[in-house]
Amino acid sequence: MRKETISVAGNPLVSHVVARVIKERSEVTFGVMGNGNAFVVGELIDHGHRYIKARHEAGAMSMSQGYYLATGRVSTTTTTYGPGYTNTLTVLSEAVLAKTPMVLVVGDAPSTPRTFDVDQTGVAAALGVTTLSVSVHNAERATHEAFDLAARDLKPVIVSIPYDIAEVPAEPQEPRVPIAPDPIITPDVRDVAEVAKLLMGAERPLIITGRGALLAGSKDAAKAVGDKINALFASSVMARNYVGSKWDLGIAGGFATPGAVELMRGADVVLVLGATMTLFQMRYGTLLPGAHHIVQVNLEETSTSEIVTRHIRSDIRAFAEQLDAQLSGFVPKSDWRAEHPEVADKSIHQPAELTETDESGMINPRALALRLNELLPANRTIVQDGGHFLGWLAMYADSPDPQGLQHPGLSFHGIGFGFPTALGAAVGRPDRLTVLTCGDGGGMMTLPDLETLVREADKALVVVFNDSAYGMEVHQYHKRGIDNEPMVFGNVDFAGIAVALGARGIRVTELEQLNVITDFVSSQDGGTLLLDVQISPNIIAEYVTEKVAHEEAQQTMP
Ligand SMILES: Cc1ncc(C[n+]2csc(CCOP(=O)(O)OP(=O)(O)O)c2C)c(N)n1
């Protein structure tokens, strides 16, 4: 039955004012209810707003992140005060580092704190997050401001509702103050001409696009520039297949396949559009040894890597468009693309040798990733939790666009984001098959929201890379002499858990069993299918071997 939402005084309650803005500014809210946000949630439900009830507040946050990564749209997360709030903090930190816009609406302490209140605003400030505390006068304005700031600055913003005003009638509301967008930084024509000249002199040009290129909407211009100079492309993890060219080598850096790395190492002029060039992306300084010129274009004051030879601060789209215009009519002397047809037909990524199992008969995770890539429909969203296993699909998975391959937790180097992030993606893009990959460690950490995934997703596939261990830790620390005991577990029956939660679950011990994916994909039936794949704990991805080698080398340095 619909409840009365107008207070006795005739004005809506403060919580209802906040809820109405949430409804106006977002399509969906992910949350866990409690005393602090009960009236917000009640009002949202009463007015037909889509509300997804999570099992854990960290999960609710991850759902919002997955939704954003899949759609580019901001959603709302809501929790109660105190423990509901502190449960969000790991994903809140991830959202700050990953520059994920989201609005978190929480209950907060009343004006006279109780024995069990914590300084939520102070905690948020320590993570670099702004809290907008609402009052009876500004609830509408503050909530709008939170959405404006989140979208403009790509960050999470908290709206907090002090407990003693949550149920109080709002006073007439202060007018909304629009937040101005950042001005566009236009390119300097001399910079454009200089870079055009460098590219015209290139024999093996490489263009690396990152999230900055994506946010600027520079896809067409970047592709046009590359096509004029016969460049190969690569991308950051956040921008997989952004340009959409058959001349794309995949993710640059640690997650590049060995064949792709070899080509990237041969590039002589590199144009980096909006990629941050982290140590990992630059493969610990080994990715671009042959490059005479490395030009980085972004919105930062300075370059983000010491190997950059020329930094240009500019709107990336405007710069790429002007560059494209400068290159008009240019006929390149060399054709790096023609020399490497294996890029276009993708055979460059095929490993020289590939066995389906290791000596003990356990599944080779590399073979698993390659087979998954073949079996999954092209129109998919792959969400990868953190852990050693993620390198396999990061290397071998195609993606329709950057939204189709997500790595929640990567910015914070965390695990335990999987199931709820996948649900957020599934809610945002029901037209795509959502595929979650996780390890057994990260999977167990986020288990409560497997129930939410099963309950709420139209259709989802979960692939557990189950090595019964914190594989990443084993591969890094066992060889340094630490006993395996804290890193190794008994085999968890994920298929059984999935069935108990209402999904289908299959324990996979042979690659052939993966063929079930074909029927699952073609079937009209929805639901969640979980494949608990028993992988070899002994096969180590190249990116981990290189990380370990790099860290060892650092330690032996004087
Ligand atoms: C929240 C959090 N806790 C602990 C860690 C340390 N850690 C990094 S990888 C990892 C193991 C992950 O195991 P699993 O999910 O099974 O994947 P695998 O490495 O075996 O592929 C751990 C414990 C972390 N990064 N984040």
Side-chain angles (χ1 to χ4, degrees):
M1 198 180 52
R2 205 176 153 80
K3 288 184 288 317
E4 186 54 69
T5 58
I6 303 295
S7 74
V8 234
N11 285 349
L13 307 182
V14 169
S15 293
H16 294 171
V17 172
V18 172
R20 288 171 191 188
V21 179
I22 292 174
K23 184 169 185 301
E24 186 186 327
R25 300 293 300 267
S26 62
E27 290 160 4
V28 58
T29 295
F30 303 97
V32 177
M33 211 182 112
N35 291 345
N37 63 344
F39 287 92
V40 173
V41 173
E43 178 77 353
L44 288 173
I45 304 283
D46 278 355
H47 287 82
H49 177 77
R50 187 166 187 196
Y51 174 75
I52 300 220
K53 46 184 190 262
R55 289 288 183 177
H56 193 285
E57 289 83 357
M61 290 289 287
S62 286
M63 289 170 200
S64 277
Q65 188 171 29
Y67 179 86
Y68 171 76
L69 290 173
T71 63
R73 297 196 295 273
V74 177
S75 62
T76 311
T77 316
T78 185
T79 76
T80 188
Y81 47 65
Y85 169 77
T86 54
N87 268 351
T88 67
L89 297 180
T90 299
V91 190
L92 191 60
S93 307
E94 157 69 9
V96 172
L97 293 166
K99 298 195 167 75
T100 308
M102 57 168 80
V103 173
L104 170 60
V105 176
V106 296
D108 205 344
S111 41
T112 308
R114 303 154 296 187
T115 51
F116 51 88
D117 285 308
V118 295
D119 174 9
Q120 296 186 186
T121 303
V123 170
L127 301 179
V129 178
T130 305
T131 302
L132 303 174
S133 185
V134 305
S135 72
V136 290
H137 303 288
N138 77 357
E140 184 178 284
R141 177 170 69 75
T143 313
H144 273 299
E145 192 176 323
F147 280 97
D148 289 345
L149 283 175
R152 189 193 65 179
D153 299 344
L154 301 176
K155 63 183 186 185
V157 179
I158 296 173
V159 174
S160 82
I161 308 174
Y163 188 54
D164 48 354
I165 62 162
E167 270 184 85
V168 167
E171 299 288 335
Q173 293 292 294
E174 294 168 5
R176 188 176 159 188
V177 183
I179 303 228
D182 287 333
I184 290 193
I185 302 172
T186 48
D188 184 321
V189 285
R190 288 163 302 186
D191 291 341
V192 176
E194 181 192 330
V195 175
K197 199 166 159 216
L198 292 180
L199 292 177
M200 287 192 263
E203 288 180 12
R204 296 174 306 283
L206 175 68
I207 299 179
I208 303 178
T209 52
R211 188 175 178 223
L214 190 157
L215 290 168
S218 57
K219 174 185 162 127
D220 293 343
K223 184 165 188 294
V225 169
D227 288 347
K228 289 206 170 61
I229 56 174
N230 292 325
L232 297 180
F233 295 102
S235 73
S236 71
V237 178
M238 299 286 285
R240 175 78 175 97
N241 196 24
Y242 176 54
V243 169
S245 166
K246 65 181 180 179
W247 298 104
D248 184 4
L249 289 166
I251 296 174
F255 295 141
T257 59
V261 172
E262 209 179 299
L263 272 190
M264 289 180 210
R265 285 188 173 145
D268 63 350
V269 178
V270 183
L271 176 63
V272 184
L273 300 174
T276 39
M277 303 178 72
T278 60
L279 208 54
F280 184 72
Q281 199 173 75
M282 293 298 109
R283 220 157 166 131
Y284 308 107
T286 68
L287 190 74
L288 305 171
H292 317 302
H293 303 286
I294 302 177
V295 180
Q296 185 185 38
V297 186
N298 60 21
L299 296 173
E300 310 294 327
E301 300 276 352
T302 55
S303 77
T304 59
S305 166
E306 60 188 19
I307 64 168
V308 169
T309 56
R310 181 75 166 91
H311 171 252
I312 290 165
R313 184 168 189 239
S314 166
D315 175 77
I316 294 171
R317 177 179 176 163
F319 187 87
E321 282 175 352
Q322 292 194 20
L323 199 53
D324 180 38
Q326 284 266 330
L327 291 166
S328 160
F330 170 67
V331 182
K333 289 179 286 300
S334 53
D335 190 348
W336 201 24
R337 291 177 172 182
E339 290 164 28
H340 295 285
E342 70 278 17
V343 176
D345 69 19
K346 297 194 174 150
S347 57
I348 190 169
H349 303 300
Q350 280 303 320
E353 284 176 54
L354 187 69
T355 52
E356 290 201 353
T357 57
D358 69 5
E359 317 75 60
S360 68
M362 306 280 293
I363 290 176
N364 176 351
R366 192 190 305 271
L368 168 62
L370 282 157
R371 189 76 187 114
L372 281 173
N373 193 42
E374 285 165 9
L375 288 169
L376 295 174
N379 195 24
R380 67 223 186 172
T381 310
I382 298 179
V383 176
Q384 298 217 87
D385 197 0
H388 163 237
F389 75 90
L390 73 77
W392 302 116
L393 275 167
M395 271 197 283
Y396 297 117
D398 296 314
S399 183
D401 51 38
Q403 297 176 332
L405 186 62
Q406 306 184 7
H407 292 93
L410 205 59
S411 299
F412 200 23
H413 293 207
I415 66 167
F417 297 77
F419 294 119
T421 311
L423 174 62
V427 167
R429 291 298 303 262
D431 57 312
R432 288 184 165 175
L433 177 70
T434 303
V435 182
L436 169 70
T437 61
C438 64
D440 48 298
M444 287 306 289
M445 211 176 265
T446 183
L447 202 53
D449 281 305
L450 171 56
E451 191 276 333
T452 320
L453 180 72
V454 173
R455 170 170 32 90
E456 300 283 353
D458 290 349
K459 193 161 180 161
L461 176 70
V462 176
V463 181
V464 184
F465 282 59
N466 191 346
D467 60 358
S468 300
Y470 288 153
M472 182 65 128
E473 308 305 304
V474 174
H475 303 320
Q476 292 181 93
Y477 296 108
H478 183 55
K479 68 179 292 228
R480 291 202 210 162
I482 298 182
D483 193 283
N484 257 349
E485 204 283 328
M487 318 166 204
V488 175
F489 294 84
N491 188 256
V492 171
D493 177 12
F494 279 92
I497 294 173
V499 171
L501 294 175
R504 279 176 70 200
I506 300 174
R507 182 181 164 88
V508 175
T509 53
E510 289 175 10
L511 272 190
E512 216 184 307
Q513 288 173 272
L514 293 181
N515 292 337
V516 67
I517 293 174
T518 309
D519 291 340
F520 176 69
V521 169
S522 59
S523 154
Q524 295 301 308
D525 299 340
T528 298
L529 170 64
L530 182 146
L531 302 177
D532 179 10
V533 187
Q534 307 299 304
I535 60 159
S536 166
N538 303 319
I539 300 176
I540 308 178
E542 286 81 0
Y543 84 97
V544 173
T545 316
E546 293 205 357
K547 179 175 187 285
V548 172
H550 172 72
E551 276 158 17
E552 281 176 352
Q554 296 287 100
Q555 272 165 19
T556 53
M557 281 198 353

